[in-house]
Amino acid sequence: MIRAFCLSLALAHPACAEDAMRLVTLGGSVTEIAVALGAGDSLIARDSTSNWPESVLDLPDVGYIRALSPENVLALDPGLIVAEGDAGPPETVDVLKAAGIPFVLVPEATDPQGVIAKIEAVAGALGLPREGKALAEKTSAGLKAAEARAASVAQPKRVLFILSLQGGRVMAAGAGTEAEGIIRLAGAINAAAGFQGYKPMTDEAVLAARPDAILMMDREGDLAIGDSDIMAQPALAETPAAKSGSVIRMDGMLLLGFGPRTPEAAQALHAALYGNG
């Protein structure tokens, strides 16, 4: 943690900055937390899921977090690497860990407790405990408000999160996923039951799920799912969600990042499902 300690000094003493303030973050929520803690000026690169705040978009992109190349990261001569728990592939993580550069892997999160643990882990890696405590308290207050709002829902809606429709098959979010976590935090029920993780569903399972709403990431290009794609899928077209036009699209990192903006995501999804009243 010597580098992390030096980084904290560097934030206050520029003489230490040349070596320590060369931070690479891998994972959108990790990058958001680092910037929220005041370490944005230390960033020299980020991964492709790090798309918020907009200021980080000008930084070099070392690739998708689950398909990283160690050469892309090491070529930037980082002083500290802080990565989300799903960074990979494992071979790349092994190379980065063996490179002699401080490498901190922070836990993934799918619930409010996990968000706070993630903030504390990043703050610890950066040597910024006071800033971490303040951010954790602010985020915790927002998460508690979201939990109270969710608990007040008398008739929770059933929500089906669709990751993709490639090949006409519904790839949905089951138990233990970030999607299920944010659906719960918004006061709804995950309609995709009986399996863990993100998996394809049969048409029979989609019909049995009876979703009141369909939730997706707001994507562009080949990964975009339009209303016409939903209606063209025979099982989806027969769901209450499709028949009522209850299709919700949100920014992927906001929706599934489980970082400081999760209270905002929960509030936005709750409003989309139940209105602002």
Side-chain angles (χ1 to χ4, degrees):
M1 301 305 289
I2 293 176
R3 294 273 184 167
F5 176 68
C6 192
L7 176 63
S8 68
L9 293 179
L11 294 172
H13 303 286
C16 191
E18 185 175 345
D19 177 48
M21 295 181 72
R22 295 187 61 79
L23 172 64
V24 173
T25 50
L26 306 174
S29 65
V30 168
T31 301
E32 290 183 16
I33 293 168
V35 174
L37 292 173
D41 290 343
S42 305
L43 280 168
I44 60 167
R46 45 93 194 185
D47 75 305
S48 60
T49 69
S50 298
N51 57 20
W52 194 91
E54 288 187 4
S55 58
V56 305
L57 297 178
D58 293 333
L59 296 170
D61 180 352
V62 297
Y64 179 58
I65 185 169
R66 295 179 185 172
L68 295 165
S69 163
E71 292 80 9
N72 289 350
V73 179
L74 296 176
L76 296 164
D77 190 25
L80 173 66
I81 302 169
V82 183
E84 190 114 23
D86 60 348
E91 295 79 13
T92 291
V93 173
D94 289 343
V95 171
L96 294 176
K97 285 181 176 178
I101 301 165
F103 183 97
V104 179
L105 210 58
V106 303
E108 297 178 69
T110 59
D111 58 26
Q113 293 76 23
V115 172
I116 300 306
K118 190 188 294 185
I119 290 172
E120 292 173 345
V122 175
L126 299 181
L128 297 170
R130 184 176 60 184
E131 291 82 353
K133 183 174 184 294
L135 181 60
E137 289 177 349
K138 178 183 176 182
T139 306
S140 180
L143 292 169
K144 288 178 179 176
E147 290 179 306
R149 192 166 49 239
S152 70
V153 176
Q155 294 182 314
K157 292 188 176 180
R158 298 173 60 81
V159 178
L160 178 66
F161 177 85
I162 299 177
L163 182 65
S164 72
L165 268 182
Q166 292 182 341
R169 299 195 67 183
V170 176
M171 180 71 76
T177 61
E178 297 87 348
E180 181 178 78
I182 197 67
I183 288 170
R184 286 181 175 175
L185 201 53
I189 298 170
N190 184 6
F195 63 92
Q196 295 276 330
Y198 296 91
K199 292 183 178 178
M201 293 178 72
T202 64
D203 286 355
E204 291 77 11
V206 171
L207 289 169
R210 297 177 290 103
D212 300 303
I214 292 170
L215 176 64
M216 295 177 290
M217 292 187 283
D218 191 7
R219 289 169 153 175
E220 297 180 348
D222 294 340
L223 297 175
I225 302 174
D227 289 353
S228 59
D229 298 316
I230 293 172
M231 297 309 294
Q233 210 285 343
L236 278 179
E238 292 301 317
T239 61
K243 290 183 176 179
S244 65
S246 298
V247 179
I248 302 167
R249 295 178 178 83
M250 292 178 59
D251 175 87
M253 268 312 301
L254 173 64
L255 184 67
L256 306 179
F258 274 80
R261 293 192 296 158
T262 293
E264 177 187 342
Q267 184 173 23
L269 181 53
H270 179 92
L273 290 169
Y274 304 109
N276 291 312

